[in-house]
Amino acid sequence: MKVLGIETSCDETAVAVVEDGREVRSNLISSQAHLHERFGGVVPEVASRAHLEAINPLVEMALAEAGIAFAGLDAVAVTVGPGLVGALLVGIAAAKAVLSDPSDGSLDEPYVAFLVSGGHTMLVHVLEPFRYEVLGQTLDDAAGEAFDKVARFLGLGFPGGPALDALAQAGDPAAVRFPRAVTERGYDFSLSGLKTAVVRRVKAERASGHQTPLEDLAASFQEAVVEVQVDKTMAAARDRGVRTVVLGGGVVANTRLRALMTERADAEGIRLAIPPPDLCTDNGAMIACAGFHRLAAGERTSLDVRANPGLRL
Ligand code: KG4
């Protein structure tokens, strides 16, 4: 079963063809990061226009690379939310041009999913297909947002997460002991205190003349974020008696998060599913896979579907 996946929720136009929910036949991304860079963030109108320009050629290229024609597709999956409404509409309009049919698929529950992106930091207990228990989430900034804000403050550009990650590789994560957030509800996250601590420290250092090397600041900040994430994810798996942990979202491209999570999962005998970095950030393949499983479970979306910018799990 071949599913075309279309993802235009934010600033990446992404299209993929995935066969039987796992074989990625093509997976293309047209990034708009360069268009938003000078604004220091994603400008919705600019994003919508860029999606419009990119979507049709990208669909054609994804089909060509997968070696199939429109008629060879069994289904189309598209992000209807959450995201920027104008951006979502472009993908939905493109998806409505193509039609779908059902098949079979299976998921490997129960597991704990840690979803960590520019918009989310969320721990979810996935009990069975499409039955989720949200264990905790961010009380303020999403992790990717915090990475981007701190990176911008340090002058690393946009999107700052990957730049901060790269810089941190040359730094000492123990150089500065930044605060680890303690939240009242065990599985919630908070990053505003940490963010403020970085800003305060850098400002104070600039005034005093002594400056911690940028790579040490990056590594220390990253360590403070990742340590809490790994602790909470592992605690959630333990508490729920779950042996599988699944990671998803753009921040999972972070090398330190991948390394520490792998180390801890190995030590605790937990099976860890981490997508390759290009399947962690926004992409069409994840939408095609999700579409495959929902279709297999008998779900249908009618042609009058609307964009839902605030869609919840
Ligand atoms: O899932 P995603 O592609 O889409 C949104 O949620 O927007 O996640 C993008 C986020 C951005 O904030 C980006 O800075 C962050 O993921 N990100 C990273 C890394 N790669 C992407 N953060 C830390 N380290 C990385 N290597």
Side-chain angles (χ1 to χ4, degrees):
M1 179 175 176
K2 299 175 196 74
V3 180
L4 179 75
I6 298 176
E7 148 60 28
T8 63
S9 62
C10 191
D11 61 341
E12 250 99 46
T13 317
V15 182
V17 175
V18 174
E19 190 163 359
D20 293 337
R22 53 180 65 240
E23 193 195 334
V24 180
R25 297 273 298 260
S26 62
N27 187 33
L28 304 179
I29 294 184
S30 166
S31 175
Q32 311 172 0
H34 60 288
L35 295 176
H36 303 289
E37 196 174 8
R38 65 195 152 116
F39 303 108
V42 176
V43 183
E45 286 76 8
V46 175
S48 307
R49 210 169 319 128
H51 282 307
L52 260 182
E53 284 167 13
I55 190 74
N56 286 345
L58 212 61
V59 168
E60 278 171 25
M61 283 161 66
L63 289 175
E65 198 174 306
I68 54 170
F70 275 115
L73 287 173
D74 298 291
V76 180
V78 61
T79 312
V80 298
L84 302 169
V85 65
L88 289 165
L89 282 170
V90 177
I92 292 170
K96 283 179 178 175
V98 199
L99 292 174
S100 61
D101 222 16
S103 186
D104 208 356
S106 64
L107 285 169
D108 194 12
E109 298 83 8
Y111 55 81
V112 163
F114 182 47
L115 174 60
V116 62
S117 71
H120 291 89
T121 305
M122 196 183 256
L123 264 174
V124 185
H125 184 194
V126 183
L127 300 134
E128 54 187 62
F130 317 123
R131 199 153 77 80
Y132 312 108
E133 178 198 3
V134 175
L135 301 173
Q137 52 194 313
T138 182
L139 302 175
D140 37 62
D141 284 359
E145 195 184 352
F147 265 101
D148 292 341
K149 284 179 180 167
V150 167
R152 192 164 64 179
F153 178 73
L154 297 177
L156 304 179
F158 174 87
L164 196 147
D165 182 0
L167 186 68
Q169 299 196 24
D172 174 9
V176 184
R177 174 82 193 170
F178 284 121
R180 273 65 173 158
V182 180
T183 52
E184 266 177 26
R185 280 196 43 209
Y187 297 121
D188 283 337
F189 298 85
S190 168
L191 287 174
S192 64
L194 171 59
K195 202 180 58 191
T196 309
V198 176
V199 171
R200 275 221 192 100
R201 181 176 184 105
V202 171
K203 284 188 174 160
E205 284 190 355
R206 277 178 192 156
S208 78
H210 161 80
Q211 288 192 20
T212 305
L214 216 51
E215 59 270 25
D216 286 350
L217 284 173
S220 300
F221 162 76
Q222 181 174 271
E223 196 67 13
V225 175
V226 167
E227 212 176 272
V228 174
Q229 293 177 340
V230 174
D231 281 351
K232 294 202 175 195
T233 305
M234 289 300 147
R238 229 177 5 248
D239 294 352
R240 291 296 187 274
V242 163
R243 307 306 304 159
T244 304
V245 165
V246 178
L247 306 184
V251 179
V252 180
N254 184 270
T255 43
R256 183 60 186 145
L257 176 59
R258 297 170 81 87
L260 194 60
M261 199 71 90
T262 304
E263 194 183 304
R264 291 281 300 279
D266 283 352
E268 303 201 17
I270 285 190
R271 198 184 132 230
L272 181 65
I274 312 187
D278 62 336
L279 293 181
C280 289
T281 45
D282 288 348
N283 67 84
M286 66 180 178
I287 302 304
C289 291
F292 168 82
H293 289 295
R294 289 192 175 268
L295 201 62
E299 276 190 42
R300 297 290 182 281
T301 304
S302 64
L303 282 177
D304 59 3
V305 66
R306 293 185 183 194
N308 179 355
L311 188 70
R312 306 188 86 82
L313 192 65

